[in-house]
Amino acid sequence: MLLTVEPIGSIRKSANKTEILIYSEFEQVVTNIVQKFGDNPERGQKLLVVHKSKEGVNQLKVTEATLLERKGNVLTVSKIDASEGPVIDISTQIPS
């Protein structure tokens, strides 16, 4: 099966953190995350990030990340094993 998905943002990596820029047309994603966290998102919240996999051109990977900071539509999360590139989805992780 072949599915075509549109990215909602992109990953930018640095030495010890990862920034996820959510495109302005997908502002509702950030709004939904903030509603679950409250007005001041708590440092340490767990997120699931669906992004392009390093291994294959047409593969996706789901990675757990820890929220460090949010400024507007830029989420700063703990360093994740991901290549710079498209983000397909972000959601809060349901505690087990």
Side-chain angles (χ1 to χ4, degrees):
M1 178 191 309
L2 178 64
L3 296 173
T4 303
V5 292
E6 183 177 345
I8 63 165
S10 64
I11 293 175
R12 298 184 300 206
K13 294 174 67 173
S14 67
N16 58 356
K17 61 185 177 183
T18 302
E19 289 184 340
I20 301 172
L21 169 66
I22 305 298
Y23 302 141
S24 59
E25 58 266 29
F26 295 100
E27 185 66 31
Q28 187 61 41
V29 173
V30 175
T31 301
N32 289 343
I33 291 172
V34 170
Q35 285 175 347
K36 291 184 182 195
F37 294 163
D39 291 333
N40 297 313
E42 292 181 35
R43 180 183 173 100
Q45 291 287 334
K46 299 290 185 185
L47 302 174
L48 293 178
V49 181
V50 181
H51 56 91
K52 182 178 174 183
S53 174
K54 290 182 185 182
E55 287 81 37
V57 175
N58 295 318
Q59 295 181 6
L60 297 177
K61 184 175 181 180
V62 178
T63 303
E64 179 182 85
T66 303
L67 180 67
L68 301 177
E69 180 180 36
R70 180 188 75 85
K71 288 186 181 177
N73 61 339
V74 177
L75 303 173
T76 303
V77 298
S78 56
K79 186 174 181 179
I80 61 174
D81 183 26
S83 56
E84 291 192 0
V87 171
I88 307 305
D89 190 30
I90 298 177
S91 62
T92 55
Q93 183 178 9
I94 299 170
S96 52

